[in-house]
């Protein structure tokens, strides 16, 4: 998590996620996991995903990135699953 005053760090991460900085073969993914309090309260997987979606859709600079497929656990799992199937088939 980047605090409100971390504007340079936020801009750096925006460039990374947009694919203009530190380019990798498979790209990067951002997920929002529950913190200690949320885990202690027994937050469900669905609630965790809802909170993550809300966060990435309403918080700058994440909400300014056009490629929405790099956000959230479901998108990460979908990509990794397809990659795993591809590797198994090889």
């Amino acid at each position: 998590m980047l605090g409100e005053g971390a504007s340079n760090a936020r801009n750096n991460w925006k460039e990374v996620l947009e694919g203009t900085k530190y380019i990798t073969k498979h790209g990067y993914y951002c997920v929002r996991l529950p913190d200690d309090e949320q885990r202690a309260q027994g937050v469900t997987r669905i609630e965790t995903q809802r909170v993550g979606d809300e966060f990435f859709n309403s918080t700058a600079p994440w909400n300014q990135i056009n490629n929405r497929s790099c956000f959230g656990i479901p998108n990460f799992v979908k990509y990794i699953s397809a990659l795993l199937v591809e590797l198994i088939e090889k």
Side-chain angles (χ1 to χ4, degrees), residues 26-78:
H26 299 289
Y28 294 88
Y29 286 81
C30 288
V31 299
R32 188 172 187 286
L33 301 173
D35 60 24
D36 293 340
E37 282 185 28
Q38 292 168 330
R39 283 192 300 274
Q41 294 171 356
V43 176
T44 66
R45 180 180 52 87
I46 291 177
E47 180 64 12
T48 297
Q49 289 175 2
R50 187 194 64 74
V51 169
D53 289 346
E54 185 177 296
F55 173 80
F56 289 121
N57 289 327
S58 65
T59 307
W62 323 124
N63 62 352
Q64 300 165 356
I65 297 172
N66 290 330
N67 178 10
R68 306 309 296 162
S69 67
C70 65
F71 295 109
I73 295 169
N75 287 332
F76 176 69
V77 169
K78 180 180 175 182

Side-chain angles (χ1 to χ4, degrees), residues 79-90:
Y79 181 79
I80 292 298
S81 296
L83 184 60
L84 180 59
V85 167
E86 182 181 322
L87 290 172
I88 291 170
E89 288 175 345
K90 284 183 180 179

